[in-house]
Amino acid sequence: MKTLTSKFWLLAASAVAATAVHAAPFQNGSFEDGPGPKKSGNSVAWVTTLYPGDNSLTGWTISSGNIDYMDTDFWQAAAGQRSLDMSGTQAGSIAQTFDTVAGTSYSVTFSLAGNPDGGAPATKSLRVAATGGPQTDYSVTPSGNSTSNMGWADQTYSFTATGASTTLSFTSLAASSSGPALDNVRVTGVTGTPAVSAPTLSTWAMLGMAGLLIALALRKRRLTG
Ligand SMILES: [Ca+2]
Ligand SMILES: [Ca+2]
């Protein structure tokens, strides 16, 4: 029974420690994590249309409309195997909320191209926004591009965090099935470090509590052992 109590304290301590370090840094900016695009009907093209409520894109939510999740078999990705057409069958929007430090400036670099299928509009625009930050539109005209030559180009968006978390969103302004293509989103702090928040006061408090619980458990173990 005493061993069980000791085990309980160790479990409790590790649970608290896990909570303390389980932050939500920016993740899956290249859309490589998750189940991946599925073959569509009888088509050999690997593309899946994702709707709000779908959690296929680890870390991201589909906020409105729908998007096409593309495998490199369908078109060349900017990085890895997967990328997005931000207009699925209509204009779509995705968002991710991650840890930031209030007052710190962040740089968001992403690869932009356009669906080269020739569909309207000829120029495809993508709106980028972050909590408390500006709303900026980026445009691309994929004339002369193809699924094997997407013409991916890096774009940069900047914002200053207003709180301990920030929601970053990408919204297609192409009201058709042929939208701006997005891949390889990277978020860095102004110092060039990854956007992982510094431990907050409550994190330190939890770490302190974890240490205390571990000390208690070890003490109990010594007393019973
Ligand atoms: Ca990718
Ligand atoms: Ca589409």
Side-chain angles (χ1 to χ4, degrees):
M1 194 63 190
K2 277 175 179 171
T3 315
L4 273 178
T5 312
S6 183
K7 270 186 183 159
F8 167 79
W9 281 113
L10 269 176
L11 275 174
S14 49
V16 171
T19 308
V21 296
H22 200 267
F26 180 76
Q27 60 176 313
N28 196 22
S30 191
F31 313 114
E32 303 296 313
D33 300 335
K38 300 285 187 294
K39 192 175 280 188
S40 171
N42 295 322
S43 167
V44 294
W46 290 79
V47 50
T48 305
T49 303
L50 306 181
Y51 298 82
D54 194 304
N55 54 11
S56 297
L57 276 187
T58 302
W60 298 91
T61 56
I62 317 299
S63 319
S64 65
N66 58 57
I67 60 161
D68 283 333
Y69 194 11
M70 302 298 202
D71 187 86
T72 196
D73 283 353
F74 190 98
W75 72 33
Q76 171 196 49
Q81 298 285 310
R82 306 170 184 173
S83 60
L84 307 178
D85 177 352
M86 291 302 298
S87 293
T89 59
Q90 57 174 284
S93 181
I94 62 168
Q96 178 172 159
T97 301
F98 53 95
D99 290 346
T100 48
V101 177
T104 296
S105 295
Y106 293 87
S107 175
V108 179
T109 305
F110 57 95
S111 298
L112 179 69
N115 187 326
D117 68 358
T123 296
K124 293 113 177 26
S125 296
L126 182 68
R127 176 162 294 171
V128 185
T131 312
Q135 184 173 279
T136 309
D137 297 345
Y138 301 81
S139 292
V140 60
T141 306
S143 56
N145 292 112
S146 66
T147 54
S148 58
N149 175 29
M150 288 290 284
W152 291 104
D154 275 357
Q155 305 288 341
T156 303
Y157 169 83
S158 299
F159 70 91
T160 300
T162 56
S165 69
T166 293
T167 299
L168 174 68
S169 65
F170 294 89
T171 303
S172 172
L173 302 180
S176 72
S177 62
S178 181
L182 176 67
D183 197 6
N184 206 15
V185 182
R186 291 143 280 168
V187 181
T188 53
V190 279
T191 55
T193 53
V196 179
S197 73
T200 58
L201 188 62
S202 61
T203 307
W204 286 118
M206 281 196 286
L207 281 170
M209 197 199 285
L212 187 70
L213 288 172
I214 288 168
L216 266 173
L218 289 175
R219 187 163 166 271
K220 271 182 182 291
R221 186 168 266 185
R222 264 201 304 277
L223 286 175
T224 55

